[in-house]
Amino acid sequence: MSQFSKLKYYDLALEASKGRIVPLVGRVDEVERITRVLQRRLHSNCLVVGPSGSGKTSLVQGWAAAAHTTIGKPIVQIEAASFHALGGNNAAIGKFQEALDSLPQCVLIIDDWGSLVYNQPAIINYFTQLLPPLMASGRVRLVLVMETKEYKWLEAEQPNVITWFETVTIKAQSATEQSVIVAQTVRR
């Protein structure tokens, strides 16, 4: 990943093995669904969608901590802020393509991807150039994280992008679900 190190990234499998990711409690159905999607031969990329504060980031990081030994691939996370250089810079797309092409076989998580494309709509055009070759190679499985309002915007503005992914929708947990999670956590 030497070329790829130009982008700020985290090896979530390494972070999980060092105990730096808080274990996920609950969300069993969502974790299983993400795993099933990423293990498919076709249509094996995932959009994780939910309201603000519903635990999307915790879900994907918790999934990585649980799945890093069974998924059989490195799990890498890039913060969406790493892609801000794409905004209005045609020269940057070649550098990003080179960096993404240098990825080994892995699961690539881009957290807050939705806020990036929602707040800088021109960037979605760059992603429509960057993502298809990456997904077509079969080397990289994508997990993109976004809020519900960003998903609705993307659905209206770029409906073809939505078809590239399986959507995993999460909802805010009820007070009852939260109390069960707290009780399970306290028992540990």
Side-chain angles (χ1 to χ4, degrees), residues 23-36:
L24 183 65
V25 178
R27 302 275 189 204
V28 174
D29 294 339
E30 292 92 340
V31 167
E32 288 175 356
R33 180 130 185 257
I34 291 170
T35 302
R36 278 195 317 270

Side-chain angles (χ1 to χ4, degrees), residues 2-181:
S2 59
Q3 291 281 334
F4 189 61
S5 65
K6 294 176 186 175
L7 295 175
K8 184 178 180 181
Y9 71 94
Y10 302 94
D11 181 341
L12 293 182
L14 178 65
E15 297 294 316
S17 69
K18 292 184 177 183
R20 294 183 185 155
I21 296 178
V22 177
L24 183 65
V25 178
R27 302 275 189 204
V28 174
D29 294 339
E30 292 92 340
V31 167
E32 288 175 356
R33 180 130 185 257
I34 291 170
T35 302
R36 278 195 317 270
V37 169
L38 294 174
Q39 289 178 333
R40 291 180 188 163
R41 289 184 59 187
L42 299 171
H43 206 65
S44 55
N45 300 291
C46 196
L47 281 177
V48 176
V49 179
S52 178
S54 61
K56 297 174 298 294
T57 299
S58 295
L59 172 65
V60 295
Q61 289 183 351
W63 169 83
H68 79 277
T69 57
T70 58
I71 202 75
K73 301 177 183 185
I75 302 171
V76 176
Q77 179 175 334
I78 300 176
E79 297 300 324
S82 299
F83 290 96
H84 279 290
L86 282 174
N89 186 351
N90 287 328
I93 195 166
K95 292 179 183 175
F96 280 93
Q97 189 70 57
E98 178 185 324
L100 292 172
D101 286 345
S102 71
L103 277 171
Q105 198 171 37
C106 70
V107 174
L108 174 61
I109 298 170
I110 304 177
D111 195 17
D112 292 329
W113 182 80
S115 65
L116 175 67
V117 297
Y118 182 77
N119 293 321
Q120 295 184 26
I123 289 181
I124 192 66
N125 296 324
Y126 295 116
F127 276 107
T128 60
Q129 295 173 44
L130 288 170
L131 296 182
L134 189 65
M135 292 185 294
S137 73
R139 293 178 303 104
V140 177
R141 310 287 189 187
L142 288 169
V143 178
L144 305 180
V145 180
M146 61 192 325
E147 290 185 15
T148 307
K149 70 177 181 182
E150 298 156 352
Y151 179 83
K152 288 178 181 176
W153 172 83
L154 185 63
E155 195 173 38
E157 296 295 318
Q158 294 280 342
N160 60 321
V161 173
I162 301 269
T163 64
W164 302 344
F165 299 91
E166 181 75 24
T167 303
V168 176
T169 305
I170 66 171
K171 59 180 178 57
Q173 293 174 316
S174 69
T176 304
E177 290 171 317
Q178 289 177 3
S179 63
V180 168
I181 289 169

